[in-house]
Amino acid sequence: SGGRIINISSRGAFRGEPDYPAYGCSKAALNSLSQSMAVALAPKGVSVYAIAPGFVETPMAAPFLDGESGDAIRNQSPLGRVATPEDVAYWVACLSSPEAAFATGTIIDVNGA
């Protein structure tokens, strides 16, 4: 028994996605599933989490981050940037540790503010 499940969600679960409603809805469902499974699997020693980043510098996000639209997206954060894959990986590593077990059911909002 024991283990970790770490789901990657999105800020779209919280802010809505008017141009991609199915995406936002599916990420909100993933958050709910993560919290429900955290309760269901706790007796087996399994912790379940979700990480909800906004835009991440990846090839998938590149079309959104190019040009003026990208500047507007980066300016949504007081840090003036979007997440890097390493920003998200940091939280995966933290939640993978045994010390994170009591945080089961947590949704980590990785959005720079």
Side-chain angles (χ1 to χ4, degrees), residues 38-113:
V39 174
L41 296 175
K44 298 179 186 289
V46 176
S47 297
V48 184
Y49 313 94
I51 299 172
F55 281 94
V56 180
E57 289 180 4
T58 64
M60 184 180 94
F64 297 99
L65 298 176
D66 290 339
E68 289 181 23
S69 65
D71 292 339
I73 290 168
R74 284 184 284 281
N75 288 331
Q76 292 175 10
S77 168
L79 300 177
R81 66 179 184 87
V82 298
T84 64
E86 293 79 12
D87 291 324
V88 178
Y90 171 82
W91 288 105
V92 172
C94 287
L95 294 174
S96 297
S97 73
E99 293 79 14
F102 200 68
T104 190
T106 296
I107 301 167
I108 304 287
D109 188 9
V110 182
N111 286 296

Side-chain angles (χ1 to χ4, degrees), residues 13-29:
F14 305 113
R15 298 184 184 192
E17 293 290 339
D19 295 329
Y20 306 97
Y23 178 82
C25 180
S26 68
K27 295 302 185 173

